[in-house]
Amino acid sequence: MVCERSNILIIGATGYLGKYMVKSSLSLGHSTFALTRPLKPDTDPSKLQLHKHFQDLGVTIFHCELDDHEKLVSVFRQVDVVISTLAVPQFLDQLKVISALKEAGTIKRFFPSEFGNEADRVSALPPFEEVLQKKRKIRRAIEAAGVPYTYVSANSLATYFIDYFLHPQQPCNDVFVYGTGEAEAVFNHEEDVAFYTLKAATDPRAANRLVICRAPENTVSQLDLISSWEKKTGRLLNRIHISEEQIINFSQTLPHPENVRAAILHNIFIKGDQMSFELSGEDLEASQLYSEYNYSSVDRVLNTCLVNPAEVKLTTF
Ligand SMILES: NC(=O)c1ccc[n+]([C@@H]2O[C@H](COP(=O)([O-])OP(=O)(O)OC[C@H]3O[C@@H](n4cnc5c(N)ncnc54)[C@H](OP(=O)(O)O)[C@@H]3O)[C@@H](O)[C@H]2O)c1
């Protein structure tokens, strides 16, 4: 696939989604950079190994605290595109990133850490609403700073949620169903989300736009997902229904972050918010934008989980 080569920096590259971004950036032939926190004597050895692995693959690593404004500016001046996959607790730290991007003044595109529901068009129970508000605050700060951006709404990351619902690595006969299980949600494979992000990074059509991942083949209900899994495994699962009332109660009473998880499950699988609004002419749907790309349908992701459950949540290089 022809692709404009660029200098791509990933902040949060060592994380769950960040590793997919690094892999996709390298496979598209970009010069790839990772910004990670400085190593400490107690840094987990697996992280050291990952840094070494990145370097062996040709990734340039910058060690930098998000508080170090001058260094951030100097790093940003060496790249064209910045993709943030920082974790939820660090969302508001992206205000420091935006301030440095503005001062650098050279960045062609910034992707804030989003990769979930379309924050401007959904609303949720309080613990998840707080997260959405942070995403909106970051969006408004980017727009106010005049930094060129693309927002990627990935909806549900497929292997992340399949692992959560069906735990293919440790098969179990029980499965939780939230509400009736009939609300439709969108499951997109992590590799595809990373591919779309890296394609959008150099695509003028995606400048200052939202790219939303809502492929028709990936829009299924929780009950559809469970039935498909039963057919593939030849095992019938015992459905344990969690009512809307119960999940609201969990969102009000469980400690953080379980309360956030309950509110997310409510929003996606009971309220059905990922499919609660029509796409407008302004929205770029990823599978249409990159129609030549053979994305993974949910069915294909389930097949992979069946054949190789150990690979379900691992990013392999
Ligand atoms: N839609 C979905 O289904 C779904 C599922 C999962 C995640 N997501 C989204 O994907 C994005 C990334 O999430 P993730 O799960 O991949 O994140 P993660 O693995 O928890 O963390 C990403 C990176 O954040 C950096 N980080 C952690 N603590 C930090 C701190 N105190 N200061 C500075 N950096 C810190 C770390 O990088 P270093 O240690 O290298 O500095 C870490 O590797 C988020 O926006 C999340 O909401 C979406």
Side-chain angles (χ1 to χ4, degrees), residues 12 14-18 36-37 47 66 85-88 90-91 113-116 155-157 160-161:
T14 59
Y16 176 65
L17 189 57
T36 81
R37 286 168 291 171
K47 187 162 275 189
L66 299 173
T85 54
L86 284 169
V88 176
Q90 281 70 53
F91 275 1
S113 193
E114 291 245 348
F115 312 109
N155 289 311
S156 313
L157 296 181
Y160 187 92
F161 274 96

Side-chain angles (χ1 to χ4, degrees), residues 165-185:
F165 288 143
L166 304 170
H167 20 83
Q169 294 186 70
Q170 291 158 314
C172 158
N173 286 335
D174 292 337
V175 61
F176 289 112
V177 178
Y178 301 99
T180 63
E182 286 167 345
E184 290 202 308

Side-chain angles (χ1 to χ4, degrees), residues 216-271:
E217 274 190 78
N218 290 352
T219 304
V220 295
S221 71
Q222 224 200 319
L223 291 182
D224 294 336
L225 200 65
I226 294 168
S227 302
S228 301
W229 187 241
E230 286 178 326
K231 279 188 204 127
K232 286 179 195 301
T233 58
R235 282 189 298 120
L236 283 183
L237 298 174
N238 173 37
R239 292 153 173 73
I240 301 172
H241 282 267
I242 309 283
S243 69
E244 177 164 21
E245 202 180 17
Q246 279 173 299
I247 205 108
I248 291 173
N249 183 260
F250 289 150
S251 80
Q252 291 166 341
T253 56
L254 287 177
H256 186 87
E258 281 80 20
N259 60 341
V260 182
R261 199 164 297 138
I264 290 174
L265 291 171
H266 178 269
N267 179 267
I268 302 176
F269 301 106
I270 295 182
K271 198 168 171 223

